[in-house]
Amino acid sequence: MTAEPAAVLAETDALELLGRGRIDIEGRLVDASNTTLRAEITLDGVTRRCVYKPVRGERPLWDFPDGTLAGREVSAYLVSRATGWGLVPPTILRDGPLGPGALQLWIDEPAEVGSLIGFVPAFDVPEGWFAVASARDDDGDAYALAHADDPRLARLAVFDAVINNADRKGGHVLYPASGDVHGVDHGVSFHVENKLRTVLWGWTGKPLPAEATDVLARLGEQLDGPLGEALDEHLTITEVRQVGRRVKRLMRACRFPEPPQEWPAIPWPPI
């Protein structure tokens, strides 16, 4: 049986499917640095695709020595769910064919989908876009790495600042037919030191969206309760504490953060 393009699952149904469904591996996504598998998952006649990242396939990272990348993927989903913005597809930690790992619902993108992030001619940046970096192609022509001034991306930028995402590439942003924006690949997030690397620097120093104030306040409350308890299962005590501190700093500043000065602020490759 193959996964068919079907109606979007409700979040509770997706979590049930991920938690109890039968996993059949289809193949490996070869561009990923860690073992990342595409699979079909089936429960009670419902079949969808998912991404399975087994812990045993993770490459050790010197600057992320604690916990697992899979646990950070799950933590990103938990924070996303707490914001109410639905930025990260349903993600759980469960045992699979290659042992414990992160299981995330696959997000299909329409063939004609247009990205809100990319390289554009330096002298022809679209109206309503921010240029965030300069580049040249092999012929020496000037380009700009740019992204749209879009409220959905602004939400993602706030979210990345909260989880301290060290790898927000343009290719880690998905555009499903629903019109939403999803972020994926959060395995190198939640470090205790500032490691924010992203292509979404267009709002640097600008005021946060008005809605972010209530969302951050709600996050702070939940970090002292059920969200904090859930994150404790996947992150260290210090990492969870630092999430709360980043939330407080964002609320106090009411502005998007500035790029770090100690290391490159944009991941490589950026797309």
Side-chain angles (χ1 to χ4, degrees):
M1 179 182 294
T2 59
E4 58 183 14
V8 176
L9 289 176
E11 185 173 30
T12 53
D13 294 335
L15 292 172
E16 181 77 3
L17 174 64
L18 292 172
R20 297 180 47 232
R22 185 188 73 247
I23 303 170
D24 297 305
I25 295 176
E26 293 183 313
R28 181 171 180 173
L29 303 180
V30 295
D31 291 338
S33 56
N34 297 284
T35 301
T36 303
L37 306 168
R38 191 175 77 172
E40 285 187 336
I41 188 162
T42 302
L43 179 67
D44 297 334
V46 175
T47 298
R48 293 291 188 276
R49 279 200 170 101
C50 65
V51 177
Y52 170 43
K53 296 184 177 182
V55 172
R56 70 167 65 175
E58 296 178 359
R59 297 170 57 188
L61 298 175
W62 68 269
D63 53 347
F64 283 84
D66 299 309
T68 65
L69 305 188
R72 298 176 193 279
E73 295 273 12
V74 177
S75 297
Y77 166 69
L78 293 172
V79 173
S80 167
R81 186 173 64 180
T83 66
W85 285 338
L87 296 170
V88 179
T91 311
I92 67 167
L93 191 68
R94 65 165 282 188
D95 202 24
L98 297 179
L103 210 63
Q104 184 174 86
L105 193 69
W106 180 274
I107 299 298
D108 285 312
E109 297 181 284
E112 69 281 3
V113 66
S115 176
L116 299 175
I117 306 166
F119 285 101
V120 298
F123 303 106
D124 193 23
V125 176
E127 184 177 357
W129 282 50
F130 297 123
V132 297
S134 300
R136 291 188 180 274
D137 64 10
D138 292 339
D139 297 323
D141 293 326
Y143 281 80
L145 175 63
H147 67 77
D149 182 8
D150 188 288
R152 295 168 296 176
L153 291 184
R155 287 177 170 181
L156 195 59
V158 174
F159 169 74
D160 283 340
V162 169
I163 70 170
N164 199 16
N165 189 357
D167 197 30
R168 175 59 71 209
K169 295 180 171 71
H172 293 173
V173 182
L174 306 180
Y175 310 92
S178 64
D180 297 325
V181 165
H182 287 301
V184 296
D185 288 324
H186 301 107
V188 286
S189 300
F190 296 100
H191 201 283
V192 295
E193 299 175 5
N194 179 19
K195 290 185 176 288
L196 183 60
R197 285 192 292 265
T198 175
V199 295
L200 300 176
W201 287 115
W203 297 281
T204 295
K206 297 181 184 295
L208 295 177
E211 63 175 335
T213 302
D214 290 339
V215 168
L216 292 171
R218 188 163 62 245
L219 272 181
E221 294 172 357
Q222 294 189 52
L223 283 166
D224 291 330
L227 176 59
E229 294 171 2
L231 292 177
D232 280 340
E233 298 181 15
H234 307 290
L235 305 173
T236 67
I237 294 175
T238 304
E239 286 169 340
V240 177
R241 185 180 301 125
Q242 285 298 115
V243 177
R245 289 176 177 171
R246 287 192 293 271
V247 167
K248 290 177 180 178
R249 284 197 296 268
L250 284 167
M251 292 182 64
R252 187 165 55 247
C254 289
R255 293 182 179 276
F256 285 92
E258 302 281 342
Q261 302 300 316
E262 298 81 8
W263 56 81
I266 295 176
W268 187 262
I271 302 297

